[in-house]
Amino acid sequence: MSGERLDAEWVRGWCERTSAGLSALMSSFLETHGYPPGGNAVVLATDESHGATGALVDLTPIPSDLTTLYWVVCEISMPDVEHGYFVHPASTVAEHLREYGSVQIDDEPPGIVFASDGGGRLFAVAGSGRVWRSATASWLADFEVTAESVQHFLEQLGRRVAGRT
């Protein structure tokens, strides 16, 4: 893993590219699948979501890449990309952290669940910056590395939107 941190400008560019890809994908969705798409969107951060990010940071130390992501993006909802992908808003992450706590992942510092897929599997980012996916739809499940960084996780989502997994 490189020691480079996630760059907010890179995230903004990713948001533009991915939103355009989602629009293209959804324009033919009804014709392709026979039913209308759900609410597929990359929602940009607002003053309110910045406040929620600040509250999350006050609650627990979070990896800087996650802070950078939430400074640009409020949430991501892609129910119609493969089996679905969802990056939860910082307010939801804080609620889940208070209710369920962090997740223990191998020898990593505790991980923070920030996303899920349509099957209920969870994605957590650990202190190392790596992104882990639960083996089952459980906070107590085993977790396996799915991306070396938040940026790599977003790149994977972008490829899925573009149909290039």
Side-chain angles (χ1 to χ4, degrees):
M1 179 178 102
S2 78
E4 294 183 32
R5 304 299 351 150
L6 185 63
D7 178 71
E9 285 303 313
W10 183 90
V11 177
R12 285 183 190 90
W14 178 89
C15 290
E16 290 175 15
R17 290 186 304 277
T18 303
S19 292
L22 279 172
S23 292
L25 183 62
M26 294 307 113
S27 69
S28 63
F29 189 88
L30 177 62
E31 182 181 317
T32 303
H33 298 284
Y35 59 91
N40 294 273
V42 175
V43 180
L44 298 178
T46 63
D47 289 342
E48 183 179 340
S49 70
H50 286 165
T53 300
L56 177 60
V57 169
D58 289 345
L59 181 63
T60 188
I62 66 172
S64 64
D65 285 359
L66 196 55
T67 305
T68 301
L69 174 65
Y70 281 134
W71 198 249
V72 178
V73 173
C74 175
E75 71 180 295
I76 299 169
S77 178
M78 298 181 180
D80 299 310
V81 175
E82 294 180 349
H83 53 277
Y85 294 95
F86 307 91
V87 173
H88 309 153
S91 58
T92 300
V93 173
E95 287 173 30
H96 289 163
L97 194 57
R98 282 190 287 275
E99 186 171 344
Y100 304 111
S102 57
V103 293
Q104 274 312 127
I105 303 170
D106 293 341
D107 295 332
E108 294 267 355
I112 297 173
V113 172
F114 73 101
S116 60
D117 68 16
R121 290 183 178 188
L122 306 173
F123 294 92
V125 62
S128 66
R130 293 192 291 180
V131 177
W132 298 73
R133 184 180 73 187
S134 64
T136 63
S138 170
W139 288 71
L140 303 174
D142 289 331
F143 282 77
E144 53 196 30
V145 173
T146 191
E148 289 300 314
S149 66
V150 172
Q151 180 170 332
H152 186 231
F153 176 79
L154 293 173
E155 289 169 346
Q156 290 173 347
L157 284 181
R159 286 192 298 273
R160 287 179 170 101
V161 168
R164 300 183 320 263
T165 46

